[in-house]
Amino acid sequence: MLFYRNLTPAAKAVIALCGLVMLPSCWSWSFPDRLLNVDGGANDGSGEAGSVATGGAGGSNQLGGQAGNAEGGMGAAGGTQALRCPAGCSDKLRPVCGSDGICKRCSAHNECPAGLCALDGACPDEANIAFVNANCAFNAVQDGSRAKPFCSLMATRDVARPYLLLSSGTHLPTTITKDHEIYGMPGARVNGPGCVALSVTGQAKVVMVSITFLSGIKVDGLGARLTLEGNTVGPSDCIGIEAKGSSQLIAARNFITRNTLGGIAVDASSSDIVNNIIAGNGSTETAWGGVWLKPAGIQIFANNTVVGNFAKGSKKAEVGGVYCEGAANVLNTILWANTFGRSSPPPGQQWDGACMVGSSLIQVESGADPGPSNISQDPLLVGKPAGAPAAYHININSPA
C-alpha cells in the first residue's frame, strides 16, 4: 500500500468515496513500486507537478513529466517519454527495449540496427554479417558488406562471418562447408538446376531460417548438422529435405509441400523433426510420399501434421504418409488423407513399416483400430487459404 500511504488526506477521502480502499473491485489501476515516486507522484512518465494546496498529478523527471512534490498526488495524463530500459539493453541476448521498459529478445529484423534478428533473439553486429544480394551485378565489387554485398551464395563459401543475410529474390544453389546461420529477408528464395538447392557437407553446422527452397535441401557427412526453422520447402520435382551419411537434421516449424519425390527422407542419420507441416508431397509414381525414416542415433518425430501426401503403393514399403524402415517413434502427430494406389494395405495409407505411432490422430478404415493411445477423428483443419500453411492449422473444435 505504498501508493495509498503517499496520498494526501484529501486524495484519500476521494478514494474512500469510491470504495477503493474498502472495496477492491473499485481498484482499476495497478502501480508497482517501481512506478511510484518517493514524493508521491506516479513514476509513469505522465502528469504535471502537484502543488501543496491541491495535490495534483505528479510525474517523474526521469521518465517524462515533472516531478511531484511531497504533497503531490497520482500522476495523470501528460508526459510522452517512454519508459527507459536499464543500461540501454547492453545484454546481447536482450538487446531490444520494450514499451514496458524491460529489455527483451528481438523478434523481427527491423528491431536490430544491422537489420538481422538471430534465432536466439540477439542482434548481431554488422561486422559479423555477410550480406547477399540476389539482384546485383556479378562484376560489381563485392566484400559482403551492406554497401558492397556478395552477388551469390557461392561467393560466401570462404567467408568466416557467422551470419549470412539473403535479400529478396532468387539465389542460385551452393554447397556450405563452414558454420553459418543463414537468414532470408521476405521473398528470399533458393533455386536452380538439379535437385539440390543447398547442400551441407563435411562437419559444417548450418542454420537456415525464413527461406523458400524451390529444389531440395541435403545434409550429408559425419558431423554435419543442418537446422531448419520457419522455411518453406517446395514446390519442387525433388525430395524436399534429405539427411544422409550419419549427419544430423533438426527441423521445426517448416512448411514442406509439393515435392514430387517426397517430403523428408532420413537415411542413417539422427533427426529431430518437430512441429512441421508436411503436405501434398510425392505422387502416384513415387515409392513414398510424406516422410521416409531410416534413423540412426537419436530420432524424434513429434507434433507434425502429415496430410494429403501420395505414393503409388504397388508394394508394402510404399505408403503415402510416413514409412519407417527402422524402429522410429511417431508421436502426437496428425496422419490424415495420405493416399496410395493399393486398395487395402495393412495397416493403412497413413503409415507403415516399423513406426511406433502413439498419442496421434490417424485416419483408418471404418471400424479399424487406430492403435493404443491413438484416435481416429477428423482433425478439422481450417482448409483455407488453399495450399497455404494456415490451411493445415486445426480449428478450435478439433479433437487433435
Side-chain angles (χ1 to χ4, degrees):
M1 274 299 184
L2 176 62
F3 164 74
Y4 184 70
R5 188 169 62 246
N6 285 334
L7 298 180
T8 63
K12 291 178 182 178
V14 172
I15 291 173
L17 291 176
C18 173
L20 181 60
V21 176
M22 306 303 295
L23 183 62
S25 61
C26 193
W27 182 267
S28 59
W29 308 281
S30 176
F31 289 96
D33 289 355
R34 68 181 178 82
L35 293 182
L36 292 173
N37 277 329
V38 294
D39 291 332
N43 195 17
D44 63 351
S46 63
E48 301 174 350
S51 70
V52 174
T54 62
S60 161
N61 273 334
Q62 180 184 7
L63 300 178
Q66 302 176 36
N69 59 29
E71 301 298 325
M74 183 175 67
T80 58
Q81 188 172 343
L83 297 173
R84 291 178 182 170
C85 295
C89 296
S90 58
D91 185 341
K92 289 185 178 181
L93 290 179
R94 287 178 173 79
V96 177
C97 183
S99 59
D100 57 0
I102 297 175
C103 296
K104 63 176 185 176
R105 298 174 186 271
C106 65
S107 58
H109 291 321
N110 61 10
E111 293 180 331
C112 296
L116 193 158
C117 172
L119 203 56
D120 61 1
C123 288
D125 294 334
E126 187 163 324
N128 290 326
I129 303 171
F131 295 84
V132 185
N133 188 342
N135 305 303
C136 66
F138 280 89
N139 60 355
V141 176
Q142 306 171 34
D143 60 13
S145 65
R146 186 191 297 274
K148 300 175 182 178
F150 292 121
C151 296
S152 71
L153 270 170
M154 188 175 294
T156 69
R157 292 182 64 173
D158 296 321
V159 170
R161 277 168 276 183
Y163 301 94
L164 307 182
L165 183 58
L166 310 187
S167 73
S168 61
T170 301
H171 299 261
L172 296 176
T174 193
T175 297
I176 306 293
T177 59
K178 294 182 180 294
D179 295 358
H180 287 298
E181 292 188 21
I182 306 173
Y183 295 82
M185 297 298 289
R189 302 178 299 275
V190 181
N191 191 22
C195 266
V196 181
L198 205 144
S199 178
V200 177
T201 63
Q203 295 185 327
K205 309 297 188 289
V206 176
V207 177
M208 299 179 185
V209 183
S210 300
I211 303 169
T212 295
F213 295 92
L214 299 176
S215 47
I217 308 169
K218 185 176 182 180
V219 55
D220 186 356
L222 179 63
R225 184 179 69 215
L226 172 61
T227 300
L228 298 167
E229 180 148 348
N231 301 283
T232 296
V233 183
S236 79
D237 294 326
C238 312
I239 296 174
I241 303 169
E242 188 173 10
K244 302 182 68 175
S246 300
S247 60
Q248 182 181 8
L249 171 66
I250 301 170
R253 299 190 308 106
N254 300 286
F255 183 40
I256 302 143
T257 185
R258 293 184 290 161
N259 298 283
T260 57
L261 296 184
I264 301 176
V266 177
D267 184 359
S269 299
S270 64
S271 61
D272 187 341
I273 302 170
V274 177
N275 199 26
N276 300 279
I277 297 170
I278 304 161
N281 299 284
S283 75
T284 54
E285 300 301 319
T286 54
W288 56 277
V291 182
W292 184 76
L293 297 175
K294 183 182 177 181
I298 297 172
Q299 181 271 322
I300 299 171
F301 189 90
N303 299 88
N304 296 293
T305 298
V306 184
V307 174
N309 300 285
F310 312 95
K312 60 184 177 182
S314 60
K315 53 186 178 181
K316 184 176 180 179
E318 298 173 349
V319 61
V322 179
Y323 182 78
C324 302
E325 185 165 326
N329 291 308
V330 176
L331 302 173
N332 201 32
T333 287
I334 296 174
L335 296 162
W336 199 263
N338 300 291
T339 60
F340 51 26
R342 286 184 294 150
S343 59
S344 57
Q349 297 99 323
Q350 310 313 312
W351 67 272
D352 211 332
C355 301
M356 296 175 286
V357 183
S359 303
S360 294
L361 190 155
I362 309 171
Q363 184 179 19
V364 299
E365 301 293 334
S366 178
D369 182 5
S373 79
N374 300 311
I375 62 173
S376 182
Q377 298 179 41
D378 189 332
L380 299 178
L381 302 178
V382 173
K384 57 183 181 181
Y392 301 96
H393 295 172
I394 56 176
N395 72 32
I396 194 171
N397 297 313
S398 173

